[in-house]
Amino acid sequence: STDTLTYEYDVVVIGAGGAGLRAAIEARAQGRSVAIICKSLFGKAHTVMAEGGAAAAMGNVNANDNWQVHFRDTMRGGKFLNNPRMAELHAKEAPDRVWELEEWGALFDRTKDGKISQRNFGGHEYPRLAHVGDRTGLELIRTLQQAVVSFQQKDFREHGDYEARIKVFAEHTITRLLLDGDRIAGAFGYRREDGQFVLFKAPAVVLATGGIGKSYKVTSNSWEYTGDGHALALLAGATLINMECIQFHPTGMVWPPSVKGILVTESVRGDGGVLRNSEGKRFMFGYVPDVFRKQYAETEEEADRWYTDPDHNRRPPELLPRDEVARSINSEVKAGRGTPHGGVFLDIASRLPAEEVRRRLPSMYHQFKELADVDITAEPMEVGPTCHYVMGGVEVDPDTAASSVLGLFAAGEVAGGMHGSNRLGGNSLSDLLVFGRRAGLGAADYIARLEQDRPEVQDADVDAARTEALAPLEFEAGENPYTVHSELQQTMNDLVGIIRREHEVAAAIEKLGEFRERREKLSAPGSRTFNPGWHLALDLRNMLLVSDCVAKAALERQESRGGHTREDYPVMSATWRKVNLVCSLDEQGRAKLEHKPVPTIRHDLLELFEVSELRKYMTEEELAGLPGMEP
Ligand code: FAD
């Protein structure tokens, strides 16, 4: 079509967060030409907002740390639903990825003897998060962008064109992946500013689009996070796994209403902050589940000693994995022991001197001062759970990040498997680096094998993508996208939220069916020049598809595990642990589910755990033959 700008690349990376940039750098380093596409300005992605740090078992602060301990923590955190190969690669490779960042110019906080400093975080046995104050993601993105720029300078010297082999397309949204038979052939989208259509011809696409939070009302996510990559994958015929597993971060702001959901970093608790209810009680001591009892302090005295003497004391229960803390806060509020604005108190003021709070948590200090007029060095914060992260995502091969569609790769939050049913804080930044690099390599290797046989974009598919994108502009008097969006958010929040009940989830699925019909009639009349209603109408297709997967999987999994809590099935089931819920689209474009076995854990990895611990997760059959098992 004449009104579509056409580009040609080897690899198209959708997303310019940590995963996308790391993938792009790797593909370019392998000699491939790369386009990096992102919805917002270059440099503005969730990765930038990451505060706490990147988890990597470098052992700088506690020499007992190593990849095996990190692997163990990750599996425990994910309640053993993790893809064990991904958790292994991640634990082994994270230190190299952090050191590599330092080589590229990242300036991490240091220990007294000059090593990269590491901080404590929920679920991590040792201090493990490499960080830059509470602005780690900013430094990570700055460094990766700088690496992109150095490639561009190299290309300028060789080709007289900075963008000869790596180019950033900021403020572009991809709406469709295009296929040639069963192989990826390109991607279609529009420039947000003026609605100009764009076509990228490319044999390999890396999805690095991040999360889905905007389907929920209370969320830490920003406007871009409408599950686009998840939906693009589904529409191209790829599969998603375990979409029911959604992380509600325990500490979001609850007040004032305009900022409800904005994140309060876990570093506040990592650095000594404690949770109290309206009676002043540190209630988390009452919520330590059986599987974690051995690793957590039983008294406030022991918990407080842990900060200075972690080798001889156990961790405070405020640092349990996020799913546990979020559920506990939910229960306290429900029992009537919440704060005036429906949260609980997070207190750092009585725990650290004011100047220390300002030094360690500068962003938090400003966030509360500016948004809530609360001085966190003098008074407690009010916090409550907020939809934060999706563990579910594109089903990928652990080593190459390849999806089930040829030429389609996925890394970062949009990929599934790595975090099981619950992600540990800090494991995302490391995930982005480890699997971003692997996706870039995977894409480059795939192209090398194609040789001359490159797929072709079909004109009919481009026309169909155009027609689909234009529909909301042409509908004069239909549904308002803002109304449908806010009803969707309320539905997901109320009916498929942190605690799930069969009849509520079933009701949500019915509502989603109604939204689907209303989506056909979405109308955002006007021009294609910056028309946010039109953009939202297009994003809604994705949010509805993804929500359909989340709700159906939440109804199907009859157990509680990590980021999936069923009031009617409150315990973990060893049989369900073996099940990945795989989501694809049926002929009518609705989500359908299939059960697939979770990959088995190798014996050498199982042996990192005590059999008594494994028994809490696994069937006797699975454990047969392990040393320590009765014959
Ligand atoms: P993102 O960084 O989310 O980037 C996604 C990219 O995809 C963006 O560039 C976006 O514009 C683009 N995109 C999306 N859809 C499209 C489309 N249709 N077309 C074109 N481009 C598209 N994790 C940690 O490990 N430690 C932390 O301390 C931490 N703190 C966090 C704090 C906050 C407030 C939030 C929200 C998250 C935090 N996380 C943290 C989680 C972590 O930041 C994210 O999971 C991670 O950054 C995701 O990285 P990504 O590369 O997968 O995608």
Side-chain angles (χ1 to χ4, degrees):
S1 318
T2 47
D3 74 337
T4 303
L5 285 176
T6 303
Y7 306 93
E8 221 169 319
Y9 286 91
D10 292 328
V11 182
V12 166
V13 177
I14 309 176
L21 290 181
R22 191 62 191 81
I25 288 166
E26 200 60 31
R28 170 62 189 80
Q30 300 296 318
R32 298 296 161 186
S33 67
V34 185
I36 302 170
I37 308 171
C38 56
K39 253 170 135 170
S40 41
L41 293 170
F42 190 45
K44 189 210 166 279
H46 269 168
T47 303
V48 181
M49 295 157 82
E51 295 156 355
M58 299 186 285
N60 289 354
V61 173
N62 189 321
N64 294 323
D65 204 10
N66 55 43
W67 76 261
Q68 286 94 338
V69 186
H70 193 181
F71 170 82
R72 208 162 60 197
D73 290 345
T74 301
M75 296 296 293
R76 281 175 180 153
K79 303 258 166 61
F80 284 74
L81 194 66
N82 318 57
N83 179 310
R85 174 69 181 156
M86 289 177 93
E88 178 193 5
L89 288 171
H90 168 259
K92 281 182 173 164
E93 294 179 4
D96 283 343
R97 299 284 79 77
V98 170
W99 282 315
E100 168 181 84
L101 276 188
E102 185 170 55
E103 245 169 67
W104 295 347
L107 294 167
F108 290 100
D109 288 358
R110 322 302 297 183
T111 61
K112 281 203 185 74
D113 51 350
K115 295 179 188 157
I116 293 176
S117 177
Q118 303 192 264
R119 66 155 49 111
N120 282 304
F121 236 57
H124 293 281
E125 188 165 340
Y126 298 118
R128 189 177 281 147
L129 270 66
H131 60 275
V132 184
D134 60 0
R135 293 173 181 153
T136 313
L138 180 64
E139 182 68 358
L140 191 137
I141 286 288
R142 188 195 66 75
T143 307
L144 294 175
Q145 284 188 218
Q146 180 58 42
V148 169
V149 168
S150 20
F151 275 123
Q152 292 180 325
Q153 286 172 336
K154 225 181 260 171
D155 288 345
F156 182 74
R157 287 195 295 273
E158 263 174 55
H159 306 271
D161 175 5
Y162 289 107
E163 295 178 325
R165 293 202 286 172
I166 187 163
K167 182 171 158 81
V168 178
F169 295 82
E171 300 193 275
H172 282 66
T173 300
I174 296 298
T175 57
R176 276 276 173 177
L177 301 178
L178 305 171
L179 297 170
D180 181 1
D182 56 359
R183 302 185 300 166
I184 284 290
F188 177 90
Y190 63 94
R191 191 157 71 194
R192 298 179 71 83
E193 187 184 16
D194 56 4
Q196 168 70 52
F197 287 128
V198 287
L199 167 64
F200 294 88
K201 296 181 171 173
V205 167
V206 177
L207 293 172
T209 48
I212 67 158
K214 276 294 162 193
S215 299
Y216 282 81
K217 186 158 182 236
V218 179
T219 177
S220 65
N221 287 197
S222 46
W223 62 267
E224 302 95 313
Y225 296 91
T226 49
D228 296 5
H230 292 80
L232 291 169
L234 279 175
L235 291 164
T239 44
L240 308 182
I241 57 170
N242 301 334
M243 289 301 290
E244 68 282 17
C245 298
I246 292 184
Q247 180 167 83
F248 293 84
H249 193 292
T251 60
M253 294 178 80
V254 295
W255 184 86
S258 59
V259 301
K260 191 166 175 160
I262 289 186
L263 193 74
V264 180
T265 174
E266 189 171 316
S267 316
V268 177
R269 282 169 287 136
D271 288 353
V274 295
L275 293 166
R276 294 185 212 278
N277 61 21
S278 59
E279 296 162 3
K281 183 171 165 210
R282 272 178 77 174
F283 57 84
M284 280 308 300
F285 286 93
Y287 288 100
V288 182
D290 228 22
V291 283
F292 291 120
R293 201 169 306 279
K294 268 172 116 176
Q295 293 123 37
Y296 287 83
E298 273 161 53
T299 63
E300 291 192 26
E301 292 70 30
E302 181 182 2
D304 286 348
R305 283 196 305 268
W306 174 86
Y307 286 100
T308 46
D309 183 10
D311 289 343
H312 301 101
N313 296 284
R314 290 169 299 174
R315 329 161 47 75
E318 278 90 356
L319 291 178
L320 275 159
R322 290 179 174 167
D323 54 326
E324 308 290 352
V325 183
R327 270 192 300 271
S328 311
I329 294 177
N330 199 67
S331 306
E332 284 298 302
V333 175
K334 236 175 128 184
R337 295 186 291 270
T339 62
H341 300 105
V344 294
F345 292 113
L346 172 60
D347 167 29
I348 187 85
S350 75
R351 313 268 304 167
L352 287 180
E355 69 271 20
E356 195 57 12
V357 173
R358 277 192 298 264
R359 189 181 69 78
R360 291 203 210 182
L361 302 161
S363 308
M364 283 303 109
Y365 175 75
H366 288 291
Q367 181 174 312
F368 273 88
K369 199 86 200 118
E370 275 154 35
L371 302 179
D373 196 25
V374 165
D375 177 359
I376 67 167
T377 68
E379 46 190 324
M381 300 160 244
E382 282 182 66
V383 296
T386 177
C387 176
H388 184 56
Y389 184 92
V390 60
M391 275 69 69
V394 180
E395 187 180 23
V396 289
D397 171 63
D399 291 77
T400 61
S403 75
S404 56
V405 171
L406 287 170
L408 183 61
F409 299 79
E413 189 169 342
V414 71
M418 161 65 208
H419 304 285
S421 65
N422 172 55
R423 174 179 71 90
L424 293 184
N427 268 2
S428 171
L429 291 189
S430 40
D431 165 5
L432 310 180
L433 297 169
V434 169
F435 294 105
R437 173 181 160 276
R438 282 183 168 273
L441 267 181
D445 287 350
Y446 169 77
I447 294 171
R449 288 197 309 275
L450 282 178
E451 294 173 359
Q452 298 312 311
D453 175 30
R454 280 169 82 114
E456 293 284 339
V457 167
Q458 312 296 306
D459 287 342
D461 292 339
V462 179
D463 288 342
R466 281 181 76 257
T467 308
E468 176 187 48
L470 288 170
L473 293 168
E474 282 158 9
F475 225 111
E476 283 293 330
E479 289 275 353
N480 180 332
Y482 292 95
T483 312
V484 177
H485 185 211
S486 91
E487 288 180 34
L488 167 69
Q489 289 181 312
Q490 195 73 54
T491 300
M492 292 305 284
N493 229 82
D494 294 349
L495 305 178
V496 201
I498 181 165
I499 312 286
R500 295 156 181 180
R501 300 160 190 92
E502 185 175 287
H503 67 278
E504 290 184 353
V505 180
I509 293 171
E510 209 174 302
K511 284 215 149 213
L512 288 167
E514 290 163 23
F515 295 147
R516 250 175 87 81
E517 281 167 29
R518 289 167 66 185
R519 189 186 80 81
E520 307 288 317
K521 295 181 239 131
L522 284 180
S523 138
S527 89
R528 274 154 66 180
T529 302
F530 200 83
N531 178 347
W534 178 43
H535 301 168
L536 181 62
L538 299 180
D539 292 344
L540 263 170
R541 178 200 69 194
N542 304 332
M543 287 187 271
L544 289 172
L545 275 176
V546 167
S547 300
D548 201 25
C549 294
V550 172
K552 283 179 179 154
L555 186 64
E556 183 81 359
R557 189 178 285 280
Q558 296 181 335
E559 64 161 351
S560 291
R561 180 181 301 277
H564 171 63
T565 306
R566 283 284 297 262
E567 197 179 61
D568 40 357
Y569 298 95
V571 289
M572 281 194 287
S573 135
T575 323
W576 271 105
R577 191 208 67 81
K578 294 190 284 184
V579 178
N580 273 338
L581 286 179
V582 181
C583 199
S584 58
L585 295 186
D586 68 14
E587 262 120 59
Q588 281 85 48
R590 284 176 312 220
K592 68 164 195 252
L593 291 171
E594 205 186 320
H595 291 210
K596 260 201 205 168
V598 174
T600 50
I601 309 176
R602 285 199 320 266
H603 265 205
D604 60 306
L605 296 174
L606 277 181
E607 282 167 21
L608 299 171
F609 300 88
E610 283 180 20
V611 171
S612 61
E613 180 176 6
L614 294 176
R615 278 214 165 98
K616 293 172 185 165
Y617 296 100
M618 295 180 179
T619 60
E620 292 296 311
E621 224 177 348
E622 289 174 273
L623 299 176
L626 270 187
M629 286 295 291
E630 308 277 319

